[in-house]
């Protein structure tokens, strides 16, 4: 874990809404699998009936097993920038870290076995699947559907989930979001997330800070952050093990609400993604597409949906599932 404060957010917009001042029953355990809690949103409100299915656990998973190629490429580019790490230490001192830490702890509910235990189980299960430690989890009252991760030097990292996101998503979808955030921690994205989120959280309003970060650096950081999000969408798929779950999250964040969720179609959203690719394939379309994404901290949701759909059918993803199954079989002997 990086020694700097870092923040990541599962969002689809260009600027994050993060006011600095202001996802049953006990899972059934089996060799080679853990219980997966399924509770569609409509049923979540009407009953406590939950289904349990099994899923692979990646006991030997390494971050580079699922890291997106663009993440690797852009990380190498950032490392060529002299003094970047030192600049981060200068910009984010212990006072800033403490302010952000206390602000989140003081305005949120800490999830535990005794407090919102269903959410606690989802987090523990996701961390087990990804072979990583479970951070603390907080739920915060906020009308903007979002989740983000904070890592402060010398302290246990934690994830914050907004109440509106809990209301919007099913349990499986919410766990996919938690897995996405765990992906940032698994991949040790902390150093570069620090810089990227200084910008995306609106820190240009801090006197003197904006002048210290050149526009070229901003573009490089945003390019890396968009690539890092693709990596963490893969972490979400590794936990959900169903691409439609992850794509449904992206679809709902793009244009969903609780009253319309039962009418949304993942297949239609994927067709929408394909139509976007077709429309942007011309020279003019390519230019407009690049202009759209250049200043975004996150890739467009239709592009993220297409990426995760393609990776779910890749040899790389199938190999990870096969390797996990083989390891579990060996442990039974």
């Amino acid at each position: 874990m990086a020694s700097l404060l870092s923040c990541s957010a599962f969002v689809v917009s260009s600027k994050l809404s993060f006011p600095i001042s202001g996802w049953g029953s006990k899972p059934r355990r089996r060799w080679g699998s853990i219980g997966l809690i399924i509770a569609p949103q409509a049923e979540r409100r009407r009953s406590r009936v939950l289904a349990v299915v099994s899923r692979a656990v990646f006991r030997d998973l390494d971050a580079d097993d699922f890291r997106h190629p663009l993440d690797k490429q852009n990380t190498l580019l950032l490392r060529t920038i002299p003094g970047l790490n030192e600049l981060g230490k200068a910009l984010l001192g212990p006072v800033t870290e403490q302010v952000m830490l206390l602000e989140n702890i003081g305005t949120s509910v800490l999830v535990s076995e005794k407090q919102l235990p269903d959410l606690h189980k989802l987090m523990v299960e996701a961390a087990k699947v990804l072979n990583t430690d479970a951070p603390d989890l907080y739920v915060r009252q906020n009308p903007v559907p979002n989740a983000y991760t904070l890592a402060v030097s010398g302290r246990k990292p934690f994830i914050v989930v907004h109440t509106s996101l809990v209301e919007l998503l099913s349990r499986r979808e919410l766990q996919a979001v938690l897995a996405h955030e765990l992906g940032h921690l698994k991949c040790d994205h902390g150093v570069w997330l620090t810089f990227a989120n200084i910008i995306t959280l609106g820190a240009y309003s801090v006197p003197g800070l904006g002048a210290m970060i050149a526009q070229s650096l901003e573009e490089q950081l945003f390019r890396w952050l968009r690539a890092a999000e693709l990596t963490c969408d893969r972490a979400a798929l590794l936990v959900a093990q169903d691409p439609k779950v992850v794509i449904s999250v992206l679809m709902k964040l793009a244009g969903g609400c609780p009253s319309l969720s039962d009418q949304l179609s993942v297949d239609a959203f994927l067709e929408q993604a394909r139509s976007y690719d077709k429309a942007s394939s011309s020279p003019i379309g390519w230019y407009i597409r690049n202009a759209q994404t250049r200043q975004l901290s996150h890739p467009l949701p239709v592009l993220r949906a297409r990426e995760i759909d393609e990776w779910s059918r890749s040899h790389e993803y199938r190999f990870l599932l096969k390797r996990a199954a083989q390891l579990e079989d060996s442990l039974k002997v």
Side-chain angles (χ1 to χ4, degrees):
M1 180 54 57
S3 61
L4 298 174
L5 177 147
S6 66
C7 171
S8 66
F10 196 104
V11 296
V12 298
S13 60
S14 60
K15 297 296 180 183
L16 313 186
S17 176
F18 176 68
I20 296 178
S21 60
W23 129 319
S25 57
K26 185 175 182 180
R28 187 168 58 214
R29 303 293 179 184
R30 298 175 179 170
W31 279 102
S33 64
I34 65 174
L36 172 60
I37 306 302
I38 306 174
Q41 180 179 327
E43 291 303 314
R44 195 167 72 234
R45 294 173 178 168
R46 299 173 189 149
S47 71
R48 299 294 295 175
V49 178
L50 299 175
V52 180
V53 299
S54 61
R55 131 182 80 179
V57 176
F58 304 94
R59 299 183 184 275
D60 60 346
L61 185 69
D62 183 78
D64 285 337
D65 290 336
F66 63 94
R67 198 186 301 269
H68 195 281
L70 290 176
D71 185 358
K72 297 178 183 178
Q73 175 185 329
N74 285 283
T75 298
L76 289 175
L77 290 175
L78 283 180
R79 286 174 177 167
T80 64
I81 302 175
L84 190 59
N85 191 48
E86 290 72 18
L87 177 60
K89 292 178 180 178
L91 294 177
L92 284 174
V95 175
T96 306
E97 292 182 349
Q98 192 72 4
V99 167
M100 297 186 73
L101 176 66
L102 291 177
E103 171 61 25
N104 281 278
I105 294 178
T107 60
S108 310
V109 174
L110 176 61
V111 176
S112 67
E113 293 180 348
K114 297 181 180 179
Q115 183 76 279
L116 302 174
D118 289 353
L119 295 182
H120 181 262
K121 289 179 182 178
L122 293 177
M123 171 63 80
V124 172
E125 288 175 358
K128 182 177 180 180
V129 172
L130 293 175
N131 188 34
T132 192
D133 295 330
D136 288 335
L137 175 62
Y138 290 85
V139 176
R140 182 171 186 168
Q141 190 70 238
N142 195 300
V144 180
N146 195 10
Y148 52 88
T149 302
L150 286 167
V152 180
S153 60
R155 299 178 184 271
K156 188 177 182 180
F158 61 92
I159 293 173
V160 180
V161 177
H162 289 176
T163 51
S164 52
L165 189 68
V166 178
E167 289 298 314
L168 179 63
L169 305 179
S170 72
R171 289 293 191 261
R172 292 187 70 188
E173 292 165 349
L174 182 53
Q175 189 173 54
V177 169
L178 295 176
H180 174 102
E181 298 302 324
L182 285 169
H184 284 299
L185 298 173
K186 178 78 175 180
C187 293
D188 199 18
H189 282 157
V191 173
W192 314 121
L193 278 170
T194 301
F195 295 95
N197 284 284
I198 286 174
I199 298 169
T200 58
L201 297 178
Y204 273 122
S205 60
V206 178
L209 183 59
M212 298 177 64
I213 304 178
Q215 171 124 16
S216 60
L217 178 57
E218 177 185 34
E219 291 182 2
Q220 290 182 63
L221 286 167
F222 274 23
R223 189 182 302 115
W224 170 83
L225 183 53
R226 291 192 297 268
E229 291 301 304
L230 298 178
T231 290
C232 294
D233 286 347
R234 291 181 173 191
L237 177 60
L238 288 175
V239 170
Q241 295 176 23
D242 181 352
K244 288 191 173 184
V245 172
V246 183
I247 295 168
S248 181
V249 173
L250 297 167
M251 176 178 61
K252 288 181 178 180
L253 289 173
C257 65
S259 62
L260 298 177
S261 62
D262 59 342
Q263 301 180 50
L264 290 168
S265 168
V266 168
D267 292 334
F269 193 64
L270 283 173
E271 183 60 34
Q272 179 182 334
R274 287 187 283 270
S275 68
Y276 181 85
D277 285 337
K278 183 178 180 179
S280 60
S281 61
S282 67
I284 295 178
W286 179 89
Y287 177 82
I288 295 173
R289 173 173 170 169
N290 278 273
Q292 279 184 318
T293 60
R294 184 172 300 165
Q295 295 301 317
L296 296 179
S297 63
H298 289 56
L300 294 172
V302 290
L303 300 182
R304 293 172 68 179
R306 182 207 61 195
E307 281 278 340
I308 207 64
D309 179 59
E310 291 179 353
W311 196 65
S312 71
R313 293 181 277 107
S314 70
H315 170 77
E316 183 181 7
Y317 174 65
R318 293 196 302 268
F319 172 78
L320 289 175
L321 290 174
K322 181 179 179 180
R323 191 177 72 182
Q326 290 174 338
L327 178 57
E328 292 301 333
D329 289 340
S330 69
L331 293 175
K332 295 177 184 179
V333 179

